[in-house]
Amino acid sequence: MRSDAHVGLLIHGRAGVGKTRLADECRNWAAASGHPTERVVGSRTAAMLPLGAVAALLAEGLGYVDSDGHVNTVTLFEQTRLALRERHHGRRLVTVVDDAPLLDAASLALLGYLAAQNAIFLILTARTGEPVPDLLSGLWRDGRLERVDLLDLNRAHLDTLLHLALGGPIEAGAGREFWEASRGNPLYLRELVHGALESATLVERSGVWHLEDHLPATVRLQDLVEQRIGHISSDARSVVELLALCQPMELAYLETVFSADVLEALEHAGLVTVAVSRGEVTLAHPMHAQAVRAAMPKLRARAILLAEATRLEAQTPGAGSAELRIAVWRLDAGQRPDPSVLLRGAHLARYAHDFRLVRRLLEAVPAGQLDAVGALLLGEALYELGRFEAADRVLALGQELTSSEQVALRLAVTRAKNANWGLCQPQTALAINARARNVITSAPLAEELVADESAVWMFSGHPERALAELERITGNGLRARVIRALVGAVALAAAGRTGDAINAAQAGFADHMALGDELAIAHPATHIVNQVFALTEAGRLTEAEQLARAGIDSVAAHRVPIAQIWFAANLGRVATLQGRLATARRYYAEAAGLAEAHRFGGPLRLALAGLTLAHATLGDSQIARQTLERLDGVPEFGFLAPEHKLADAWTETASQRPKDAVEVLLAAADHAASTGHRTTESWLLHDVMRTAGVDTSARLEELARECDSPLVAARARHAAAARAHDGLELAGAATDFEAMGAMLLAAEAESAAAEAFSRAGDLRAATAAQRRSSALASLCEGATTPGLLLAAVPVPLSARERDVVMLAINGIASKEIAERLYLSVRTVNNHLQHAYTKLGVSSRTDLAQALGGSQ
Amino acid sequence: MTPEQIVLVQSSFERMRPALPSLANVFYQELFERDPALRPMFPDDMTAQKVRFSDKLTEIVGAIPRLPDLLAHTRALGARHAGYGVRADDYKTVGAALIEAIAAALGDDFDEPTREAWTIAYNLVAETMLEGAASVRLIGS
């Protein structure tokens, strides 16, 4: 606009892409820069009156009507130009012309003349599909009109826009849903987001946005779609309505009912998409289907649905996928299809993992007509959808119906799973399992009940008992192997047999793929989750992280929330062990958000405990305590229960109460020992040493002998070396940890090595160890642990001095320090005095300053 | 961005942190190769500029999880860059050069999800810098 070479800007693009908005922004900008501006709108009605649209530009009282009453356009155009020049002191009038192709020819001619004479600067919008008037395309070809083609957003643009508009990250599944519904159309996206926010379908939890349900069709969205398709012929509308209800439709069928012109016109207008290879027609935009359905009179929709159902039934009696479509159409039409059709439809929906549809189909079966298989399918769907109490009722009902032994087994197994995972009642789950055993006695099926009991023991916190139960299974069929691996891999890893665990998980996955997707069995991705857990317990942290990252992508695409939760929680756990605490915090927050959204109480407890641990290790004692308090409202959950206590212990540590932390850790370690959580016990006992320097090496060494895990062995080495103040061994433990990627533990062991070297008078080795420790600590994303605190301080303190100093720099009085550490006030003051001397300071304030840099 | 993408950007950044100086080298090399006209906007001796680039990248990556913090960085940065004569089109060139430099720094670790995550992260930064730039132009013109 700053040069005279251009007479305007043509903004071209599809409906809803933001042409008008961009034009208006340009106009606002021009106005803010001091240019006069005007706005003209093209429309079908205004076009009927010549010059009607541009009336605002015309000066009144001009003599362009000659004595015969004819309009003299030359005079009119020239007088308008002169009037504009006078009015705006020679500055070009910036004129927005929205929907320029809809202007009448006279208006276009006037605008073209004024622009060519540099009286106005045009900002025109034109919709894709509308022919651009010759006058405008001529100016564009001459290079006097700058053309901007606005495209729909691509996936990356949409994600960026959502992030900025919502002010934070969005869960992967929700992002995909917005993408699929809007296909990058900014106008639809805007309405979808507003609609979802207003209906509280889109909600923020733990800093991440989640979708609670499918996106709603708002009235405003219906209006927008209506504007887009409003002016098509009545035949074309019939096609659109038919597709909105029943798509995809066979092209061959549509061609017999509608003329080729109608279909062609719809395709040209970009309203339908024809997949020639599949011979299928669909609406081009998913939003259109939803909005047209929502706006259609119910009786009309019903008539179309029933006609199509009847037609398809006559055409393909009893055919597989057609049957599901027919059942859904009849339901949509308010009819109750035959229960056998609904059941067959539910089977098909189950294999597509569409649990919402399974529920919808089977809840339409009249009470008393649902058979045992139907109850099994509905119960499973309700469990997957987080409706645990309803699931228990339906499954109990199914158990009362006569059925084959196999169906009875699967009802029992699913109900027990629902009781253990959903209702968090392991005792109920065991009772369900025991009752089923009285009924089901034939060999392979009875063994499934054994595996099921084992699963309840495992996930209620008894790995040892779970392994003992599994020993009783002798069958070696494919299904038996898969079910055994699902429990066995986790139990073996928890018991410290990590090599066996990794093998079991790998074999289990391969067997599961061969078995196919069966009922009453966990998703195949569960084996991958198990493998991640086993790799973690084996200290193979990098492999665990990579596997889990690949896993979380695959299950997010298939929408298996429980697997997504487990992958996120395991990623949090791996990151914690790696010492990447900020990363751990984000993964645990993600797991907690998903668990909350899908109502899985057990995994929520585990994720919140992990989140607390991450906050506490980062030194955020207050946020840690708040997160810990959220656990009060969450049911108890046995899986890795002793490990959850790390949350309590580290919150105490972060609040400078090491004695309380040690009490919690020792009690949890006892619990772990009595239930056979060997790797967890090793973690807890190692942390006793890390938080307060208390020696636990004897038991840690026992555990290292009982387990095959290098991580457990490194913890034992660390503790034994610390007890012996053996600098070389401590440095060795640090190397072990570093090789596994456990950087925080490595940094702490190096720090302890520095202290031991210094004690032994080897200052050179001490300095080197100190430097290594600082480098390792810098990889830990801001972790603040007692073992790290003094890492960067040149003169190491003794363990006791360190404890006292830590409390002192947090402003705690000597008297209270004495109480917390079971020392006399005099001893505390002696320790402080020694620390002052070593650090070359003379007061508490200086002490904090001397240590401040390392925090 | 999804939480996973934020984690991916930050964790891959942690991995290349030791290689930041060479990342800065590759970035400017790529940038000037793609658009030699940008070279005169920078000083002859690029040593200090490369350090500034590394520092700013570290700050911005750290601020990504909290949008308000990120905006505080990027809006001002965008406004400053508008003052240097940076045009909206240049952001595309910079983005391409940055992704290329990150790809070089990460080697085999630079997989498709990592590329997507960094692309969206860059878009976020560029978009908000452009907002900052626009506010300056409006006032200044």
Side-chain angles (χ1 to χ4, degrees):
Chain A
M1 210 180 97
R2 293 202 175 104
S3 82
D4 284 348
H6 285 105
V7 298
L9 176 72
L10 172 62
I11 304 168
H12 194 252
R14 303 215 316 205
V17 79
K19 298 183 298 295
T20 306
R21 175 69 192 278
L22 178 59
D24 286 341
E25 288 289 334
C26 291
R27 179 187 167 207
N28 291 342
W29 197 350
S33 312
H35 293 273
T37 68
E38 190 52 77
R39 198 171 193 288
V40 170
V41 183
S43 73
R44 284 171 215 287
T45 39
M48 296 199 267
L49 183 67
L51 293 173
V54 293
L57 296 182
L58 301 173
E60 273 177 44
L62 297 172
Y64 48 79
V65 182
D66 65 19
S67 51
D68 300 335
H70 291 117
V71 174
N72 181 336
T73 49
V74 177
T75 317
L76 165 70
F77 286 14
E78 186 53 17
Q79 287 193 354
T80 304
R81 182 183 77 82
L82 291 170
L84 283 175
R85 198 175 70 174
E86 191 175 345
R87 205 191 305 163
H88 302 302
H89 314 291
R91 301 197 77 172
R92 285 195 284 179
L93 175 67
V94 174
T95 309
V96 169
V97 186
D98 205 12
D99 273 329
L102 298 186
L103 286 184
D104 60 289
S107 295
L108 272 170
L110 172 64
L111 291 171
Y113 175 82
L114 294 174
Q117 299 293 321
N118 279 329
I120 62 176
F121 183 87
L122 288 168
I123 298 173
L124 309 146
T125 76
R127 187 183 286 195
T128 309
E130 303 273 5
V132 178
D134 290 344
L135 181 94
L136 298 182
S137 50
L139 281 172
W140 174 55
R141 271 196 305 277
D142 295 343
R144 304 208 63 196
L145 199 59
E146 183 75 27
R147 177 170 160 151
V148 174
D149 283 286
L150 279 191
L151 303 175
D152 281 337
L153 303 170
N154 66 25
R155 179 66 205 269
H157 294 153
L158 177 129
D159 287 347
T160 306
L161 181 57
L162 279 176
H163 195 120
L164 287 172
L166 294 172
I170 184 166
E171 186 252 325
R176 193 175 315 103
E177 194 134 337
F178 277 113
W179 167 247
E180 281 168 5
S182 71
R183 294 279 162 84
N185 181 300
L187 187 60
Y188 291 160
L189 179 66
R190 178 175 184 276
E191 287 312 316
L192 285 166
V193 170
H194 278 296
L197 285 172
E198 276 160 24
S199 61
T201 312
L202 182 61
V203 292
E204 194 215 296
R205 248 188 254 105
S206 312
V208 178
W209 290 90
H210 296 265
L211 269 184
E212 300 269 80
D213 202 342
H214 286 305
L215 292 168
T218 61
V219 174
R220 166 121 174 96
L221 205 52
Q222 290 169 30
D223 287 348
L224 288 173
V225 172
E226 192 50 40
Q227 278 170 27
R228 172 87 175 86
I229 60 176
H231 51 83
I232 58 177
S233 72
S234 68
D235 266 4
R237 178 166 281 274
S238 300
V239 177
V240 168
E241 287 180 346
L242 181 58
L243 289 171
L245 291 166
C246 306
Q247 68 179 0
M249 297 294 292
E250 309 92 277
L251 176 59
Y253 166 67
L254 288 179
E255 282 172 338
T256 62
V257 184
F258 300 97
S259 81
D261 294 351
V262 173
L263 297 175
E264 255 173 49
L266 280 171
E267 195 188 4
H268 185 73
L271 287 173
V272 306
T273 307
V274 181
V276 181
S277 58
R278 285 201 305 277
E280 276 178 7
V281 182
T282 48
L283 287 179
H285 207 290
M287 229 42 261
H288 292 176
Q290 203 187 345
V292 169
R293 273 201 308 272
M296 209 185 299
K298 296 288 163 284
L299 286 175
R300 183 168 169 72
R302 184 180 145 90
I304 295 174
L305 285 164
L306 292 182
E308 282 306 305
T310 312
R311 180 181 70 81
L312 206 56
E313 268 164 358
Q315 198 184 321
T316 51
S321 67
E323 195 154 37
L324 177 57
R325 298 180 75 192
I326 292 165
V328 174
W329 291 346
R330 289 205 179 281
L331 272 181
D332 285 346
Q335 280 196 339
R336 287 208 163 166
D338 186 56
S340 67
V341 174
L342 288 170
L343 188 60
R344 283 199 296 274
H347 266 286
L348 291 167
R350 164 63 181 81
Y351 286 112
H353 287 274
D354 189 345
F355 291 109
R356 284 198 181 102
L357 184 55
V358 171
R359 180 183 178 191
R360 180 153 183 250
L361 290 167
L362 292 179
E363 284 187 340
V365 175
Q369 289 191 41
L370 194 68
D371 66 1
V373 175
L376 173 59
L377 282 168
L378 179 55
E380 184 197 37
L382 289 166
Y383 165 74
E384 294 286 345
L385 295 171
R387 304 296 192 277
F388 306 121
E389 266 149 37
D392 189 65
R393 277 195 301 276
V394 170
L395 291 165
L397 194 79
Q399 286 187 310
E400 284 166 21
L401 302 169
T402 48
S403 66
S404 71
E405 232 186 4
Q406 195 179 49
V407 172
L409 169 81
R410 292 177 182 188
L411 278 163
V413 168
T414 307
R415 196 173 166 212
K417 179 165 79 167
N418 182 61
N420 195 28
W421 286 94
L423 301 170
C424 295
Q425 295 169 359
Q427 292 311 316
T428 312
L430 287 174
I432 292 165
N433 182 280
R435 274 201 304 277
R437 281 203 192 167
N438 295 333
V439 189
I440 298 157
T441 49
S442 63
L445 298 184
E447 289 204 329
E448 281 204 28
L449 282 175
V450 176
D452 178 54
E453 190 192 331
S454 166
V456 178
W457 285 117
M458 178 64 229
F459 295 107
S460 61
H462 300 85
E464 197 150 11
R465 178 75 191 262
L467 282 175
E469 295 294 331
L470 282 185
E471 293 291 319
R472 289 164 42 203
I473 299 177
T474 53
N476 205 26
L478 199 54
R479 188 173 164 99
R481 292 212 303 272
V482 170
I483 289 176
R484 198 163 44 196
L486 280 169
V487 190
V490 190
L492 286 165
R497 292 163 60 188
T498 58
D500 292 344
I502 293 166
N503 289 338
Q506 281 172 336
F509 185 72
D511 284 339
H512 206 144
M513 286 291 121
L515 180 70
D517 209 354
E518 290 207 354
L519 286 182
I521 193 164
H523 192 277
T526 314
H527 297 283
I528 309 288
V529 175
N530 291 350
Q531 196 180 336
V532 169
F533 177 69
L535 285 167
T536 311
E537 296 315 273
R540 289 158 66 176
L541 303 180
T542 312
E543 284 168 82
E545 183 199 343
Q546 282 167 352
L547 189 63
R549 264 175 40 190
I552 204 168
D553 285 344
S554 76
V555 294
H558 290 103
R559 302 186 191 192
V560 192
I562 184 72
Q564 250 174 297
I565 296 167
W566 281 125
F567 276 124
N570 271 288
L571 278 165
R573 206 165 165 273
V574 171
T576 305
L577 286 167
Q578 286 174 325
R580 294 159 57 215
L581 277 310
T583 303
R585 188 176 55 191
R586 283 193 293 279
Y587 275 125
Y588 276 127
E590 166 74 352
L594 278 167
E596 214 172 3
H598 294 280
R599 306 167 190 225
F600 282 106
L604 177 60
R605 171 164 280 273
L606 193 132
L608 285 177
L611 190 57
T612 308
L613 173 59
H615 284 310
T617 315
L618 285 164
D620 299 332
S621 61
Q622 216 165 354
I623 304 174
R625 204 165 286 285
Q626 283 163 9
T627 313
L628 199 59
E629 278 162 13
R630 281 174 69 191
L631 278 169
D632 291 344
V634 182
E636 285 297 330
F637 182 57
F639 180 51
L640 296 181
E643 203 174 293
H644 305 175
K645 290 293 170 196
L646 286 169
D648 306 70
W650 281 89
T651 305
E652 297 299 351
T653 304
S655 315
Q656 314 306 330
R657 298 177 193 282
K659 192 168 67 77
D660 295 333
V662 167
E663 263 171 35
V664 170
L665 288 169
L666 288 175
D670 275 349
H671 181 198
S674 68
T675 46
H677 287 95
R678 288 201 185 79
T679 52
T680 296
E681 190 189 349
S682 127
W683 186 338
L684 291 160
L685 290 175
H686 187 232
D687 280 9
V688 169
M689 184 200 77
R690 291 174 63 210
T691 50
V694 177
D695 176 38
T696 50
S697 57
R699 177 62 185 151
L700 278 171
E701 282 174 325
E702 251 173 63
L703 284 167
R705 280 193 295 279
E706 288 168 16
C707 302
D708 65 2
S709 160
L711 179 58
V712 174
R715 286 178 184 135
R717 187 179 186 186
H718 184 192
R723 185 195 51 201
H725 302 291
D726 183 337
L728 280 176
E729 267 300 288
L730 282 164
T735 311
D736 292 349
F737 284 131
E738 192 182 348
M740 283 179 256
M743 299 309 176
L744 178 56
L745 301 181
E748 291 182 9
E750 278 294 2
S751 171
E755 185 189 336
F757 284 134
S758 154
R759 234 177 220 252
D762 187 348
L763 290 179
R764 198 190 173 93
T767 311
Q770 205 98 59
R771 199 172 297 134
R772 278 196 300 278
S773 177
S774 302
L776 288 162
S778 73
L779 298 171
C780 297
E781 301 177 1
T784 307
T785 61
L788 270 192
L789 183 74
L790 303 175
V793 178
V795 181
L797 307 177
S798 77
R800 245 330 175 210
E801 284 162 6
R802 190 180 69 176
D803 293 343
V804 172
V805 162
M806 283 211 40
L807 295 170
I809 61 173
N810 279 285
I812 294 166
S814 295
K815 185 159 173 283
E816 202 185 335
I817 296 177
E819 276 165 17
R820 286 198 197 178
L821 297 177
Y822 291 127
L823 299 170
S824 74
V825 178
R826 219 175 74 190
T827 313
V828 167
N829 286 333
N830 277 341
H831 282 309
L832 269 179
Q833 214 52 55
H834 287 147
Y836 289 176
T837 312
K838 285 185 183 178
L839 295 168
V841 300
S842 57
S843 73
R844 282 186 178 224
T845 329
D846 295 345
L847 192 63
Q849 252 167 14
L851 300 177
S854 63
Q855 268 191 318
Chain B
M1 295 182 83
T2 67
E4 293 86 357
Q5 284 169 332
I6 292 178
V7 169
L8 209 49
V9 165
Q10 295 204 317
S11 60
S12 57
F13 184 75
E14 280 309 318
R15 276 202 295 282
M16 51 191 175
R17 205 192 261 263
L20 269 182
S22 83
L23 184 124
N25 282 338
V26 178
F27 167 70
Y28 284 110
Q29 199 180 322
E30 286 284 336
L31 184 66
F32 299 147
E33 230 163 71
R34 278 158 205 271
D35 189 353
L38 293 175
R39 184 63 187 90
M41 294 170 81
F42 294 89
D44 290 343
D45 181 359
M46 289 291 287
T47 319
Q49 177 68 27
K50 283 172 185 171
V51 173
R52 272 202 295 279
F53 165 82
S54 300
D55 290 351
K56 207 69 211 173
L57 188 63
T58 310
E59 269 176 43
I60 287 179
V61 170
I64 282 178
R66 297 164 311 277
L67 191 63
D69 292 3
L70 181 72
L71 293 179
H73 281 290
T74 53
R75 288 217 171 111
L77 192 64
R80 252 199 335 272
H81 278 69
Y84 303 149
V86 176
R87 300 159 307 155
D89 258 3
D90 299 335
Y91 281 85
K92 278 188 201 158
T93 321
V94 169
L98 181 67
I99 297 290
E100 209 45 52
I102 291 168
L106 285 175
D108 287 348
D109 284 346
F110 192 71
D111 51 11
E112 202 41 47
T114 310
R115 174 187 292 275
E116 265 169 37
W118 273 101
T119 305
I120 295 175
Y122 177 76
N123 286 352
L124 206 56
V125 171
E127 203 63 46
T128 49
M129 281 180 71
L130 281 165
E131 275 180 38
S135 63
V136 173
R137 287 220 188 95
L138 198 56
I139 296 157
S141 55

